[in-house]
Amino acid sequence: AQTVTQSQPEMSVQEAETVTLSCTYDTSESDYYLFWYKQPPSRQMILVIRQEAYKQQNATENRFSVNFQKAAKSFSLKISDSQLGDAAMYFCAYRTPQGGSEKLVFGKGTKLTVNP
Amino acid sequence: GAGVSQTPSNKVTEKGKYVELRCDPISGHTALYWYRQSLGQGPEFLIYFQGTGAADDSGLPNDRFFAVRPEGSVSTLKIQRTERGDSAVYLCASSLQGSGTEAFFGQGTRLTVV
């Protein structure tokens, strides 16, 4: 079974600085999707960024970028120029390849605090 | 609708009672998912619908849990004989057709069993 591990229960960053959240996963599949979701106190999960495993290029969305290391099964999230609104729980998630079960497998999350 | 809507937002019930949680997906989304998020944990998959049928119900923890989606739109998660361990946030998500399309989440129902 696939597993996702987030080894940092909590992280903090100064406003305008850069922070990296770690994620590792375990799978025997060669093709899959990886995601980072943000969950503010409202509880709604918001997609931050996604990566297809067959793409070598790391995904980027504005201030958010990933470092995808397929051989190491590592998928870290870098947040640049951190803003107060970035404070939330961040979850790394894995999804099986197209045509398989559509379920997401989540890590336990990292609580990010942004200090003014 | 504009987004995934879940009702009620919060539900308190007594141990042993029956509860129903409702999810109204984004209009036109054929795929619908239920997840359960316990305190301090990430969401855990419960069940996935493609249209009216449950394509994967491997996450349902036991036979007290059941979900339906009779017309391929609104879904109801039903929990019989609730236990204190069922207390969690129940999240619903929908996507256009599954298979690589983005899943949009609702704000969840916080269920508390006392």
Side-chain angles (χ1 to χ4, degrees), chain B residues 45-65:
Chain B
F45 170 79
L46 294 176
I47 188 168
Y48 157 56
F49 286 92
Q50 183 59 254
T52 60
D56 182 356
D57 64 357
S58 62
L60 294 177
N62 51 59
D63 61 6
R64 296 187 297 106
F65 288 75

Side-chain angles (χ1 to χ4, degrees), chain A residues 6 33 35 37 39 41-48 50 52 89 91 95-109, chain B residues 4 8-10 33 35 37 40-45 48 50 56 58 89 91 98-110:
Chain A
Q6 294 179 250
Y33 301 91
F35 305 84
Y37 280 89
Q39 187 179 42
S42 68
R43 303 194 304 239
Q44 186 174 19
M45 303 286 280
I46 302 165
L47 179 64
V48 174
R50 64 179 276 170
E52 288 87 351
M89 288 293 298
F91 292 93
R95 194 175 76 203
T96 52
Q98 192 165 335
S101 172
E102 298 293 331
K103 68 181 180 184
L104 288 161
V105 178
F106 288 88
K108 289 188 175 183
Chain B
V4 178
S9 180
N10 294 281
Y33 318 80
Y35 291 84
Q37 186 175 19
Q41 303 293 317
E44 293 179 307
F45 170 79
Y48 157 56
Q50 183 59 254
D56 182 356
S58 62
V89 173
L91 295 166
S99 291
T101 56
E102 180 182 347
F104 295 85
F105 283 80
Q107 292 187 311
T109 295
R110 181 180 298 280

Side-chain angles (χ1 to χ4, degrees), chain A residues 18-25 32-37 47-70 73-80 90-93:
Chain A
T18 296
V19 65
T20 298
L21 308 184
S22 300
C23 173
T24 58
Y25 59 94
Y32 45 86
Y33 301 91
L34 295 166
F35 305 84
W36 278 98
Y37 280 89
L47 179 64
V48 174
I49 199 165
R50 64 179 276 170
Q51 174 84 40
E52 288 87 351
Y54 66 86
K55 291 186 177 179
Q56 292 185 335
Q57 187 173 8
N58 289 324
T60 299
E61 288 287 342
N62 300 312
R63 297 183 294 107
F64 299 87
S65 62
V66 298
N67 183 4
F68 174 47
Q69 300 290 329
K70 191 173 183 179
K73 297 180 181 175
S74 171
F75 183 62
S76 60
L77 174 70
K78 185 171 82 170
I79 306 174
S80 303
Y90 285 81
F91 292 93
C92 178

